[in-house]
Amino acid sequence: MPETAQEAPNLRELPVSQTPEVDFVRIRIAGDSGDGIQLTGTRLAESAARFGNDIATFPDFPADIRAPSGTVYGVSAYSLNIGETEVLTFGDESDALVALNPAALKKYMGELKKGGLLIFDSGSFTARALEKAGYESDPREDGTLSHFRLLPIDITELTTSALQESGVSAKDAKRCKNMWTLGLIHWLFEREIDALESWLREKFANKPEIAEANLLALRAGHLYGEIAELPADISQYHIAPAPLRAGEYRTINGNEAMAYGLYAGATLADLEAFYGSYPITPASPLLHTFAKLKELGALSFQAEDEIAAIGSAIGASYAGHLGITGSSGPGIALKTEALGLAVATELPLVVVNVQRGGPSTGLPTKTEQSDLFQSVFGRNGDTPIPVIAASHPGDCFEVAVEAVKIATKHMTPIFVLSDGYIANAAAPWRLPDLGEGDFAPFPVTKATDPDDFQPFKHDPETLARPWAVPGTPGLMHRIGGLEREEGRGNISYDGDNHQRMTEIRAAKLQAIAKDLPPQTVESGAPSGKLALVGWGSSWGPIRVATRRAVLQGKSVSHIHLRHIWPLPPNLKELLAGFEEIVVPEMNNGQLATLLRAELGRPIRSVSCVKGRPFLVREITEIINNVVGG
């Protein structure tokens, strides 16, 4: 495949699976939100990545800190796709489901394929638990489960039995059933548990009794798989390592990659990174990750509210640091006035929006792409801000570095769009070579010469104004939200001056557009019957469906936008080569509307606002509806 504007060192160019039942396995673990499901799934993903598999994950959990126990509403789940070919989505349906209570079975049974493996904790199927899950009869006895391969195990009882001599309380023993389950799943996938044992010892180094209890449960679950007389139709899954590019890899999620990329970008720009934020789902881990970078010189600040958070970041940029703030849609709404201040003062500021379902507080733990209009247009006055979007967890690192380049080169705030799926999903990430190529240093030059210093004199190419740090001799100047006089920077209410400054702010986007790499085709031919245009986390399912369709000889191509505003200058010319254009996005057609306005041609929108990413079969249906199949 030709190299594209989006392609980068972490993109794994692996074969497309033609035999999914052999090349990858999709497993979902589900239970009560207090069962440690997310921890279990994360460790399983780490083991698969360490083994060398390609992986894609999908954590799914309630918005409540402690949702109603035993109810469908309170179910937490972790989906993992483990493959030896390219894996970019968590899978349309599961090959195996581990249900630790009836509510988990109720919620996810419909997404387990016929003939799939169903492991469930039989000890949890009490009359009370069945009632809370909404069952009128026991699904084990009424034929509901007849389409699956069943492995009922009393996981709770086996866990407590294994820990009888451990010295922990019965309550703490039951809490270890996620480790028992993890041990069994590791046996199921032919994985050793040595690395998990080391991790448990390190995690509970200060609580040796808890560490030993979890170790015993982990070993007991793994041993059960080895010695139990399982039904003949239940066997282990053999998934070989994927042929990944040579290099050093680690598992990373989007929030981690974004934080690391912003820190790396600041370092490459020879700036100190300052992250000012207020906690909000699903952006909070950005703040947590930045706090861990303290020893490397990163500065982080948890503000009392969203307005203070962005105010602190603007202040940091004014003082010569790289100001960064992050939030989700509701928090971005509160930052709106200060965003206008950042545009008016022409200071570099990176704003990360980890999108979630809306409107208002909406669906805090569910993913969506519905803040595009908010990012492009959502401010008072003519207030242009560039917008770029990450497409997968590893891409967050590259997008973050690019955002720092744009913000510092053009002296502008910039939006970086992620979403709840990218933020929480994990994937293998090839560590980049900092100092080379796209990650070469780009040190920022700050104003120091007082001769003929004009704080709002704009560079003819970039339209950036000088970055004059307070305290620099001879560079005293006024700054604020009131309109500035062109060049000198004094407060001005003159109409002609306001016209010129408005035009300069708009022209900054044009200057940014000139620097953008040409938009190319992600998969498929550069022209043809159908172009699927995506952005953000729709990348995975669109790419998978398109590559499979191309192998079947269908005239379909995938074009994925990183640069949302301004759009790539050659986009109109590129799309002119396709008869039909369809934009699948997790909103009610926002990018499609933007493209219609900018490109002046019919564009079809397909929406998915169900709190989850597109499924591959949904994209395949779009393709077949247009090109046949």
Side-chain angles (χ1 to χ4, degrees):
M1 189 187 78
E3 189 167 276
T4 72
Q6 286 75 33
E7 189 163 340
N10 66 54
L11 182 57
R12 295 97 61 212
E13 187 65 30
L14 298 175
V16 181
S17 175
Q18 295 299 298
T19 54
E21 65 278 2
V22 175
D23 295 332
F24 53 80
V25 175
R26 300 148 298 189
I27 183 169
R28 176 179 277 130
I29 310 163
D32 194 71
S33 60
D35 285 340
I37 299 298
Q38 300 306 315
L39 178 65
T40 304
T42 300
R43 302 323 302 177
L44 180 60
E46 290 278 0
S47 295
R50 187 180 295 108
F51 185 77
N53 297 125
D54 198 15
I55 64 170
T57 72
F58 181 44
D60 189 13
F61 42 87
D64 300 72
I65 294 174
R66 190 66 179 95
S69 176
T71 66
V72 172
Y73 179 68
V75 171
S76 176
Y78 194 101
S79 300
L80 174 64
N81 196 346
I82 304 174
E84 59 185 84
T85 54
E86 183 177 69
V87 171
L88 298 176
T89 74
F90 64 94
D92 289 8
E93 57 184 3
S94 302
D95 297 291
L97 169 64
V98 180
L100 295 185
N101 66 4
L105 178 64
K106 180 86 169 180
K107 184 170 183 178
Y108 290 110
M109 182 182 64
E111 297 176 30
L112 177 63
K113 73 177 186 181
K114 289 187 177 180
L117 174 61
L118 173 57
I119 302 172
F120 58 90
D121 182 3
S122 58
S124 68
F125 278 67
T126 64
R128 173 62 176 152
L130 290 167
E131 181 184 355
K132 290 180 73 175
Y135 281 110
E136 295 181 359
S137 60
D138 192 330
R140 298 172 297 174
E141 301 172 356
D142 62 8
T144 300
L145 309 181
S146 60
H147 297 298
F148 310 120
R149 293 177 292 130
L150 304 181
L151 183 56
I153 305 173
D154 194 339
I155 296 175
T156 303
E157 173 60 28
L158 289 171
T159 303
T160 54
S161 296
L163 302 186
Q164 278 183 348
E165 306 299 326
S166 66
V168 299
S169 67
K171 182 178 181 181
D172 285 338
K174 289 181 180 180
R175 288 176 175 170
C176 294
K177 70 178 181 179
N178 64 326
M179 285 297 113
W180 194 100
T181 304
L182 187 57
L184 175 64
I185 296 173
H186 270 66
W187 172 84
L188 194 64
F189 283 96
E190 301 179 329
R191 303 290 192 263
E192 297 301 324
I193 58 175
D194 296 356
L196 277 171
E197 290 183 344
S198 299
W199 173 79
L200 282 169
R201 290 191 184 96
E202 181 179 348
K203 179 176 177 62
F204 296 108
N206 297 326
K207 299 178 180 179
E209 285 189 0
I210 299 298
E212 187 61 27
N214 279 282
L215 285 167
L216 287 172
L218 178 71
R219 292 166 186 161
H222 198 269
L223 185 62
Y224 181 89
E226 292 179 0
I227 66 174
E229 295 184 6
L230 301 180
D233 61 349
I234 295 176
S235 59
Q236 293 172 290
Y237 294 105
H238 177 71
I239 302 296
L244 298 169
R245 289 179 56 188
E248 186 176 356
Y249 286 81
R250 61 156 290 176
T251 301
I252 202 166
N253 64 42
N255 273 332
E256 292 172 329
M258 186 72 73
Y260 296 153
L262 291 168
Y263 171 78
T267 302
L268 294 171
D270 196 23
L271 297 170
E272 288 186 309
F274 174 92
Y275 186 77
S277 178
Y278 180 75
I280 184 172
T281 302
S284 297
L286 284 171
L287 178 59
H288 305 158
T289 306
F290 258 97
K292 295 176 183 178
L293 297 174
K294 179 180 179 180
E295 293 182 359
L296 298 178
L299 304 173
S300 59
F301 169 60
Q302 179 174 322
E304 65 268 30
D305 56 42
E306 295 282 5
I307 299 172
I310 189 172
S312 68
I314 293 172
S317 291
Y318 178 55
H321 302 285
L322 175 67
I324 309 165
T325 190
S327 190
S328 190
I332 296 296
L334 294 170
K335 296 180 189 288
T336 299
E337 182 181 1
L339 283 168
L341 176 63
V343 172
T345 56
E346 299 186 55
L347 287 168
L349 175 73
V350 180
V351 184
V352 182
N353 184 349
V354 187
Q355 301 165 94
R356 70 190 206 185
S360 187
T361 47
L363 304 172
T365 60
K366 308 302 179 184
T367 194
E368 208 163 273
Q369 294 177 299
S370 53
D371 295 346
L372 186 145
F373 281 170
Q374 181 188 42
S375 302
V376 174
F377 301 119
R379 292 163 296 282
N380 63 295
D382 287 308
T383 317
I385 295 180
V387 180
I388 61 177
S391 56
H392 54 87
D395 190 45
C396 289
F397 183 90
E398 297 158 40
V399 165
V401 173
E402 185 170 358
V404 176
K405 287 182 183 178
I406 293 172
T408 55
K409 181 176 181 179
H410 298 275
M411 290 292 285
T412 180
I414 182 170
F415 264 112
V416 181
L417 298 183
S418 175
D419 62 49
Y421 175 51
I422 296 176
N424 293 313
W429 180 56
R430 185 172 178 266
L431 300 185
D433 295 323
L434 295 181
E436 301 178 6
D438 291 338
F439 304 117
F442 48 95
V444 171
T445 301
K446 296 173 183 174
T448 57
D449 187 0
D451 292 339
D452 195 32
F453 169 68
Q454 296 187 50
F456 280 83
K457 181 179 181 181
H458 295 89
D459 180 274
E461 294 295 325
T462 65
L463 291 181
R465 74 169 183 88
W467 194 353
V469 177
T472 306
L475 301 189
M476 185 181 296
H477 62 284
R478 293 181 177 181
I479 197 166
L482 293 174
E483 183 62 283
R484 326 306 308 172
E485 178 187 351
E486 182 185 4
R488 297 173 62 85
N490 295 325
I491 295 172
S492 173
Y493 295 101
D494 179 72
D496 291 336
N497 175 79
H498 180 56
Q499 178 83 30
R500 288 193 301 272
M501 291 298 287
T502 300
E503 291 169 353
I504 288 170
R505 288 187 283 265
K508 241 182 215 197
L509 287 184
Q510 299 172 19
I512 292 169
K514 291 178 183 178
D515 284 344
L516 300 184
Q519 180 66 48
T520 55
V521 174
E522 177 87 16
S523 301
S527 61
K529 174 70 175 175
L530 170 64
L532 293 175
V533 180
W535 69 280
S537 63
S538 63
W539 176 77
I542 297 177
R543 177 177 167 88
V544 171
T546 301
R547 294 190 75 195
R548 289 179 182 172
V550 168
L551 287 177
Q552 296 167 4
K554 297 178 181 179
S555 182
V556 56
S557 299
H558 173 199
I559 295 170
H560 214 77
L561 302 183
R562 169 180 289 183
H563 300 278
I564 305 295
W565 196 249
L567 292 166
N570 71 318
L571 183 61
K572 185 173 183 178
E573 179 184 358
L574 177 63
L575 292 180
F578 295 92
E579 295 178 29
E580 295 193 48
I581 301 169
V582 177
V583 178
E585 52 186 326
M586 292 185 292
N587 58 48
N588 207 26
Q590 295 184 23
L591 179 63
T593 300
L594 192 67
L595 292 179
R596 290 188 202 107
E598 292 295 305
L599 306 182
R601 62 170 295 178
I603 292 174
R604 180 184 161 202
S605 170
V606 177
S607 298
C608 176
V609 283
K610 301 177 181 180
R612 60 154 174 82
F614 275 95
L615 303 178
V616 174
R617 66 171 177 262
E618 292 170 337
I619 304 298
T620 299
E621 183 178 359
I622 296 171
I623 295 171
N624 292 341
N625 286 341
V626 176
V627 304

